[in-house]
């Protein structure tokens, strides 16, 4: 915890001195919150940043989606596709996170629908196959 606190202070110092990109700092803070098992605070921070009209990038959104647990798939979908979503294209990391989460929730058909939105790589293809396999829809 002491190391994470020191790292957080360095991030704030970078913001104050103007040497750090704000979106990068937001993403690092969100990632730190998740590593400390404060995923609820991470999701709240993301919502606060949106409400404050902060400039966010895909990494920030991916951090918030990555903090969602199996039963929170509606939250993850809202973060990715909802009205508060920053006007960003969906990337492969985000799509893979969503497909994995939906597959763990037994929503293989929704997982495949989300996966259809991007050009898949090996990881996304594997996640899509796993989503179907978990629900016995692998044929």
């Amino acid at each position: 915890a002491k190391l994470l606190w020191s790292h957080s202070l360095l991030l704030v110092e970078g913001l104050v001195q103007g040497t750090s990109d704000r979106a990068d700092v937001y993403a690092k803070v969100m990632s730190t919150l998740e590593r400390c098992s404060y995923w609820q605070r991470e999701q709240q921070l993301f919502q606060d940043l949106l409400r404050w009209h902060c400039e966010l990038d895909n990494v920030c959104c991916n951090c918030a989606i990555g903090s969602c647990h199996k039963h929170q798939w509606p939250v993850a979908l809202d973060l990715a596709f909802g009205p508060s979503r920053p006007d960003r294209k969906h990337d492969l990391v985000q799509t893979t996170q969503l497909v994995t989460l939906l597959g763990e929730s037994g929503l293989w058909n929704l997982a495949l629908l989300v996966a259809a939105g991007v050009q898949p790589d090996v990881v996304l293809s594997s996640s899509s196959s796993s989503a179907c396999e978990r629900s016995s829809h692998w044929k």
Side-chain angles (χ1 to χ4, degrees):
K2 189 173 184 178
L3 180 63
L4 291 175
W5 177 251
S6 299
H7 182 67
S8 297
L9 289 177
L10 289 174
L11 291 173
V12 171
E13 183 179 322
L15 274 179
V16 171
Q17 294 176 357
T19 57
S20 297
D21 175 43
R22 288 182 187 270
D24 183 50
V25 172
Y26 300 149
K28 287 178 181 174
V29 169
M30 291 169 63
S31 179
T32 300
L33 287 170
E34 184 177 357
R35 281 195 310 260
C36 294
S37 297
Y38 292 129
W39 56 268
Q40 298 99 330
R41 289 186 184 169
E42 178 184 4
Q43 291 174 2
Q44 184 59 52
L45 174 61
F46 184 77
Q47 293 300 328
D48 289 344
L49 292 169
L50 288 174
R51 193 175 64 251
W52 299 331
H53 304 286
C54 296
E55 196 168 318
L56 305 176
D57 59 9
N58 271 351
V59 176
C60 292
C61 190
N62 293 349
C63 285
I65 290 170
S67 71
C68 293
H69 297 276
K70 187 165 111 173
H71 64 281
Q72 295 179 303
W73 63 266
V75 174
L77 287 177
D78 186 55
L79 290 171
F81 301 109
S84 62
R85 168 79 175 136
D87 189 25
R88 308 249 185 255
K89 290 185 177 186
H90 299 279
D91 64 14
L92 204 50
V93 172
Q94 182 182 107
T95 302
T96 303
Q97 286 178 318
L98 288 169
V99 166
T100 301
L101 181 65
L102 291 167
E104 289 171 352
S105 302
L107 301 166
W108 63 273
N109 50 353
L110 192 52
L112 293 181
L113 183 65
V114 169
V118 297
Q119 181 67 35
D121 68 351
V122 173
V123 177
L124 178 57
S125 297
S126 176
S127 295
S128 299
S129 296
S130 293
C132 292
E133 183 180 9
R134 280 188 198 100
S135 300
S136 299
H137 287 84
W138 50 270
K139 292 183 182 181

